[in-house]
Amino acid sequence: MELILITTAFFAGFLALKCKLPPLVGFLLAGFALHFFGFESNDTISTLADLGVTLLLFTIGLKLEIKTLLSREIWAGATVHNLLSTALFSLAFLALKLLGVTSLAGMTTEHIVLLAFALSFSSTVFAVKSLQEKGEMNATYGTLAIGILVMQDIFAVIFLTASTGKLPHWYAITLFALPLLRPVFYKILDWVGHGEMLVLFGIFFALVAGAGLFEFVGMKPDLGALILGMLLAGHAKASELSKSLFNMKELFLVCFFLNIGLSASISLSGVSLALLILLLLPFKGLLYFLTINYFKFRVRTSLLASLALFNYSEFGLIVGGLAFKMGWMPSDILVALAVAVSLSFILAAPLSKMGHQIYLHSGKWLQEHAAEKLNQRDQLINPGHAQVLILGMGRIGTGAYDELHARYGKICLGVEVRDDAAERHREEGRNVIAGDATDPDFWERILDTTNVKLVLLAMPHHQGNQTALAQLKRRRYSGQIAAIAEYSDQLQVLEESGVDAAFNIYNEAGSGFARHVCQQLKPQFTANK
């Protein structure tokens, strides 16, 4: 059976990729097709699916700062949307009940509100996968969408705890000591190095220290993985740890999407109700847009974040399963939820992928906030009198900034992806802003680059420098561009793509090292020609 599952998943994902859809759409359809031919989910697939979700939440935590959740647009935005969408869906289902929809006829008003509550959530797994595939996890709209999803996950944990009547054990109070252990966690992460022990560290902290510990005290395991990830987010190796777990997490998530399809027993009444539920999805998306836009985000940010959240959540299936087990809703509702969640993924995938094109066609019809009233996280960027733009303020970018500043004075503007790193640079006297130069959103916010004569692409990843170069070309930037690379073939690619100068960081480091030694030590060599 496992061979059939792997083969079907591979070919379905491959076909979806060729149709310019995310592979997860193929995995969902593969699950439905296998179920149609009599295959069912089993304990192995369910376990691997759960592991994938746990690792996903852990890696989200590694990129999430607690202060992000405390911002008003996140906690208030998630709360307001949850209340409004629950009310809207409740009214719609009550109207359908009055119209005689059979599946809803036997449900009380309280149980209809519960169904509406389940559909008010969006899928963390789907949204994060879509953002990762587009490389826009660090975009303003991406961090906004993830923050809302994390708040929704917290709401879900509270509901599941309350609905089952199962309170955490009294010793769950010891979890409040976890932040005090952060220095110990940091030290262990320093000690494990960069190889296989780093991967094992991530698995241990996600599945044992996080999920296992929270399950032991009677709380939702996934929440533990998320919180442990957030505690490690400030470490310098957090990004490296996330990347080391990437492939394993992606493999397990294949089982997650397969499992949804394999778990759905299709019935005519269930499919009919699912289509009605799907018709309500645009209203849910509209509520997201209005809520986010209320907090003074640009139309583009509000629209793209809404498209990232434009789906129903697998949490609806969890609530449906719990309600069915307790006799609160018939089996047709559970089928309808499974089909509606799956169809929402299939519908949302191309919409999310075409988000930028949708904005270009619809943005002109939507009213924009005045520039001075925009949310601080979405403010426009004015390079001022900067003549050099340095994209990537790591060791190489910082060295280049300091050298140019020593030679020519205050002519540089640095761009660093992490807010805390940008803040440190500013404290050290450098002119640095936070931004992701690989994100089209960053370039949309820049007002004017006419004073910029030189751009240095100093990001540590070749793909990032290539993406930033493509953005510069798209904006018809006419100044000079220089880039760094690790390998000779990358130098060739950059030169063919249009950079004016490309430098191998290892060769340049070697010559720079020799030059520095000669200047410092002034060795008395005898020339030998």
Side-chain angles (χ1 to χ4, degrees), residues 317-343:
L317 301 180
I318 298 172
V319 172
L322 177 66
F324 176 69
K325 190 182 297 182
M326 294 186 172
W328 296 344
M329 63 177 64
S331 60
D332 281 351
I333 298 292
L334 190 57
V335 173
L337 283 172
V339 175
V341 169
S342 304
L343 290 178

mmCIF file of all heavy atoms in Angstrom, residues 317-343:
data_model
loop_
_atom_site.group_PDB
_atom_site.id
_atom_site.type_symbol
_atom_site.label_atom_id
_atom_site.label_comp_id
_atom_site.label_asym_id
_atom_site.label_seq_id
_atom_site.Cartn_x
_atom_site.Cartn_y
_atom_site.Cartn_z
ATOM 1 N N LEU A 317 -12.128 20.354 10.369
ATOM 2 C CA LEU A 317 -12.287 18.894 10.410
ATOM 3 C C LEU A 317 -12.139 18.372 11.840
ATOM 4 O O LEU A 317 -12.835 17.435 12.243
ATOM 5 C CB LEU A 317 -11.240 18.227 9.517
ATOM 6 C CG LEU A 317 -11.263 18.612 8.028
ATOM 7 C CD1 LEU A 317 -10.167 17.885 7.275
ATOM 8 C CD2 LEU A 317 -12.615 18.319 7.425
ATOM 9 N N ILE A 318 -11.228 18.970 12.602
ATOM 10 C CA ILE A 318 -11.027 18.539 13.994
ATOM 11 C C ILE A 318 -12.281 18.835 14.814
ATOM 12 O O ILE A 318 -12.778 17.991 15.564
ATOM 13 C CB ILE A 318 -9.802 19.248 14.605
ATOM 14 C CG1 ILE A 318 -8.535 18.880 13.829
ATOM 15 C CG2 ILE A 318 -9.653 18.890 16.078
ATOM 16 C CD1 ILE A 318 -7.314 19.674 14.223
ATOM 17 N N VAL A 319 -12.829 20.052 14.632
ATOM 18 C CA VAL A 319 -14.050 20.423 15.344
ATOM 19 C C VAL A 319 -15.205 19.538 14.902
ATOM 20 O O VAL A 319 -16.010 19.078 15.719
ATOM 21 C CB VAL A 319 -14.387 21.909 15.102
ATOM 22 C CG1 VAL A 319 -15.757 22.260 15.668
ATOM 23 C CG2 VAL A 319 -13.327 22.789 15.729
ATOM 24 N N GLY A 320 -15.289 19.296 13.577
ATOM 25 C CA GLY A 320 -16.353 18.442 13.061
ATOM 26 C C GLY A 320 -16.284 17.041 13.618
ATOM 27 O O GLY A 320 -17.304 16.445 13.994
ATOM 28 N N GLY A 321 -15.064 16.487 13.685
ATOM 29 C CA GLY A 321 -14.896 15.143 14.244
ATOM 30 C C GLY A 321 -15.306 15.086 15.708
ATOM 31 O O GLY A 321 -15.963 14.133 16.152
ATOM 32 N N LEU A 322 -14.939 16.123 16.465
ATOM 33 C CA LEU A 322 -15.307 16.180 17.876
ATOM 34 C C LEU A 322 -16.817 16.309 18.044
ATOM 35 O O LEU A 322 -17.442 15.615 18.864
ATOM 36 C CB LEU A 322 -14.601 17.374 18.534
ATOM 37 C CG LEU A 322 -14.919 17.636 20.018
ATOM 38 C CD1 LEU A 322 -14.408 16.486 20.874
ATOM 39 C CD2 LEU A 322 -14.287 18.953 20.471
ATOM 40 N N ALA A 323 -17.441 17.186 17.237
ATOM 41 C CA ALA A 323 -18.887 17.390 17.320
ATOM 42 C C ALA A 323 -19.653 16.139 16.898
ATOM 43 O O ALA A 323 -20.681 15.785 17.494
ATOM 44 C CB ALA A 323 -19.289 18.572 16.444
ATOM 45 N N PHE A 324 -19.158 15.450 15.872
ATOM 46 C CA PHE A 324 -19.807 14.210 15.423
ATOM 47 C C PHE A 324 -19.727 13.138 16.507
ATOM 48 O O PHE A 324 -20.698 12.420 16.776
ATOM 49 C CB PHE A 324 -19.138 13.729 14.136
ATOM 50 C CG PHE A 324 -19.659 12.407 13.641
ATOM 51 C CD1 PHE A 324 -20.941 12.287 13.137
ATOM 52 C CD2 PHE A 324 -18.854 11.271 13.679
ATOM 53 C CE1 PHE A 324 -21.430 11.065 12.681
ATOM 54 C CE2 PHE A 324 -19.316 10.051 13.246
ATOM 55 C CZ PHE A 324 -20.610 9.949 12.730
ATOM 56 N N LYS A 325 -18.565 13.052 17.161
ATOM 57 C CA LYS A 325 -18.376 12.067 18.220
ATOM 58 C C LYS A 325 -19.321 12.326 19.394
ATOM 59 O O LYS A 325 -19.790 11.406 20.058
ATOM 60 C CB LYS A 325 -16.915 12.103 18.680
ATOM 61 C CG LYS A 325 -16.522 10.963 19.608
ATOM 62 C CD LYS A 325 -15.061 11.104 20.052
ATOM 63 C CE LYS A 325 -14.113 11.009 18.883
ATOM 64 N NZ LYS A 325 -12.690 11.094 19.310
ATOM 65 N N MET A 326 -19.598 13.611 19.649
ATOM 66 C CA MET A 326 -20.478 13.970 20.765
ATOM 67 C C MET A 326 -21.950 14.050 20.361
ATOM 68 O O MET A 326 -22.801 14.418 21.171
ATOM 69 C CB MET A 326 -20.030 15.315 21.360
ATOM 70 C CG MET A 326 -18.662 15.265 22.015
ATOM 71 S SD MET A 326 -18.249 16.817 22.837
ATOM 72 C CE MET A 326 -16.730 16.362 23.691
ATOM 73 N N GLY A 327 -22.250 13.745 19.078
ATOM 74 C CA GLY A 327 -23.634 13.749 18.626
ATOM 75 C C GLY A 327 -24.210 15.112 18.340
ATOM 76 O O GLY A 327 -25.427 15.294 18.315
ATOM 77 N N TRP A 328 -23.351 16.098 18.124
ATOM 78 C CA TRP A 328 -23.825 17.465 17.901
ATOM 79 C C TRP A 328 -24.142 17.742 16.438
ATOM 80 O O TRP A 328 -24.811 18.717 16.125
ATOM 81 C CB TRP A 328 -22.784 18.471 18.368
ATOM 82 C CG TRP A 328 -22.524 18.432 19.846
ATOM 83 C CD1 TRP A 328 -23.309 17.851 20.794
ATOM 84 C CD2 TRP A 328 -21.410 19.003 20.530
ATOM 85 N NE1 TRP A 328 -22.767 18.002 22.032
ATOM 86 C CE2 TRP A 328 -21.579 18.728 21.913
ATOM 87 C CE3 TRP A 328 -20.281 19.724 20.151
ATOM 88 C CZ2 TRP A 328 -20.674 19.123 22.884
ATOM 89 C CZ3 TRP A 328 -19.383 20.128 21.113
ATOM 90 C CH2 TRP A 328 -19.578 19.841 22.455
ATOM 91 N N MET A 329 -23.595 16.963 15.514
ATOM 92 C CA MET A 329 -23.866 17.170 14.093
ATOM 93 C C MET A 329 -23.847 15.839 13.359
ATOM 94 O O MET A 329 -23.126 14.912 13.761
ATOM 95 C CB MET A 329 -22.882 18.177 13.472
ATOM 96 C CG MET A 329 -21.436 17.771 13.489
ATOM 97 S SD MET A 329 -20.340 18.963 12.650
ATOM 98 C CE MET A 329 -20.507 20.431 13.639
ATOM 99 N N PRO A 330 -24.632 15.708 12.279
ATOM 100 C CA PRO A 330 -24.689 14.450 11.523
ATOM 101 C C PRO A 330 -23.439 14.229 10.680
ATOM 102 O O PRO A 330 -22.634 15.148 10.473
ATOM 103 C CB PRO A 330 -25.925 14.641 10.646
ATOM 104 C CG PRO A 330 -26.069 16.116 10.496
ATOM 105 C CD PRO A 330 -25.579 16.712 11.772
ATOM 106 N N SER A 331 -23.305 13.002 10.174
ATOM 107 C CA SER A 331 -22.114 12.646 9.386
ATOM 108 C C SER A 331 -22.013 13.454 8.100
ATOM 109 O O SER A 331 -20.920 13.712 7.595
ATOM 110 C CB SER A 331 -22.126 11.144 9.070
ATOM 111 O OG SER A 331 -23.288 10.803 8.327
ATOM 112 N N ASP A 332 -23.169 13.858 7.534
ATOM 113 C CA ASP A 332 -23.138 14.651 6.297
ATOM 114 C C ASP A 332 -22.375 15.959 6.482
ATOM 115 O O ASP A 332 -21.708 16.448 5.566
ATOM 116 C CB ASP A 332 -24.558 14.971 5.837
ATOM 117 C CG ASP A 332 -25.203 13.776 5.135
ATOM 118 O OD1 ASP A 332 -24.482 12.802 4.866
ATOM 119 O OD2 ASP A 332 -26.419 13.829 4.884
ATOM 120 N N ILE A 333 -22.492 16.542 7.683
ATOM 121 C CA ILE A 333 -21.776 17.793 7.962
ATOM 122 C C ILE A 333 -20.273 17.549 7.954
ATOM 123 O O ILE A 333 -19.495 18.354 7.432
ATOM 124 C CB ILE A 333 -22.210 18.370 9.329
ATOM 125 C CG1 ILE A 333 -23.692 18.700 9.333
ATOM 126 C CG2 ILE A 333 -21.377 19.601 9.665
ATOM 127 C CD1 ILE A 333 -24.073 19.852 8.441
ATOM 128 N N LEU A 334 -19.852 16.421 8.520
ATOM 129 C CA LEU A 334 -18.429 16.092 8.541
ATOM 130 C C LEU A 334 -17.896 15.912 7.121
ATOM 131 O O LEU A 334 -16.807 16.380 6.789
ATOM 132 C CB LEU A 334 -18.215 14.815 9.363
ATOM 133 C CG LEU A 334 -16.770 14.449 9.698
ATOM 134 C CD1 LEU A 334 -16.082 15.580 10.454
ATOM 135 C CD2 LEU A 334 -16.725 13.162 10.515
ATOM 136 N N VAL A 335 -18.677 15.235 6.274
ATOM 137 C CA VAL A 335 -18.294 15.081 4.867
ATOM 138 C C VAL A 335 -18.215 16.445 4.185
ATOM 139 O O VAL A 335 -17.261 16.737 3.449
ATOM 140 C CB VAL A 335 -19.310 14.173 4.127
ATOM 141 C CG1 VAL A 335 -19.018 14.157 2.629
ATOM 142 C CG2 VAL A 335 -19.264 12.765 4.688
ATOM 143 N N ALA A 336 -19.220 17.285 4.443
ATOM 144 C CA ALA A 336 -19.242 18.613 3.836
ATOM 145 C C ALA A 336 -18.016 19.433 4.244
ATOM 146 O O ALA A 336 -17.419 20.137 3.416
ATOM 147 C CB ALA A 336 -20.523 19.352 4.241
ATOM 148 N N LEU A 337 -17.620 19.338 5.513
ATOM 149 C CA LEU A 337 -16.435 20.058 5.988
ATOM 150 C C LEU A 337 -15.177 19.575 5.267
ATOM 151 O O LEU A 337 -14.357 20.386 4.830
ATOM 152 C CB LEU A 337 -16.285 19.872 7.501
ATOM 153 C CG LEU A 337 -17.209 20.696 8.395
ATOM 154 C CD1 LEU A 337 -17.074 20.257 9.847
ATOM 155 C CD2 LEU A 337 -16.900 22.178 8.271
ATOM 156 N N ALA A 338 -15.022 18.247 5.160
ATOM 157 C CA ALA A 338 -13.833 17.684 4.509
ATOM 158 C C ALA A 338 -13.753 18.120 3.048
ATOM 159 O O ALA A 338 -12.685 18.532 2.560
ATOM 160 C CB ALA A 338 -13.860 16.161 4.614
ATOM 161 N N VAL A 339 -14.878 18.067 2.359
ATOM 162 C CA VAL A 339 -14.890 18.443 0.938
ATOM 163 C C VAL A 339 -14.681 19.954 0.793
ATOM 164 O O VAL A 339 -13.931 20.409 -0.085
ATOM 165 C CB VAL A 339 -16.220 18.012 0.284
ATOM 166 C CG1 VAL A 339 -16.294 18.511 -1.159
ATOM 167 C CG2 VAL A 339 -16.360 16.494 0.321
ATOM 168 N N ALA A 340 -15.336 20.758 1.661
ATOM 169 C CA ALA A 340 -15.206 22.217 1.571
ATOM 170 C C ALA A 340 -13.772 22.662 1.838
ATOM 171 O O ALA A 340 -13.238 23.545 1.142
ATOM 172 C CB ALA A 340 -16.162 22.888 2.555
ATOM 173 N N VAL A 341 -13.125 22.067 2.849
ATOM 174 C CA VAL A 341 -11.731 22.403 3.146
ATOM 175 C C VAL A 341 -10.846 22.074 1.948
ATOM 176 O O VAL A 341 -10.022 22.889 1.504
ATOM 177 C CB VAL A 341 -11.243 21.647 4.402
ATOM 178 C CG1 VAL A 341 -9.728 21.780 4.557
ATOM 179 C CG2 VAL A 341 -11.932 22.191 5.648
ATOM 180 N N SER A 342 -11.041 20.888 1.387
ATOM 181 C CA SER A 342 -10.223 20.459 0.250
ATOM 182 C C SER A 342 -10.449 21.341 -0.968
ATOM 183 O O SER A 342 -9.497 21.766 -1.637
ATOM 184 C CB SER A 342 -10.538 18.993 -0.095
ATOM 185 O OG SER A 342 -10.356 18.165 1.026
ATOM 186 N N LEU A 343 -11.719 21.634 -1.277
ATOM 187 C CA LEU A 343 -12.013 22.485 -2.429
ATOM 188 C C LEU A 343 -11.497 23.900 -2.230
ATOM 189 O O LEU A 343 -11.070 24.557 -3.190
ATOM 190 C CB LEU A 343 -13.525 22.510 -2.683
ATOM 191 C CG LEU A 343 -14.156 21.213 -3.207
ATOM 192 C CD1 LEU A 343 -15.668 21.369 -3.356
ATOM 193 C CD2 LEU A 343 -13.539 20.803 -4.542
#
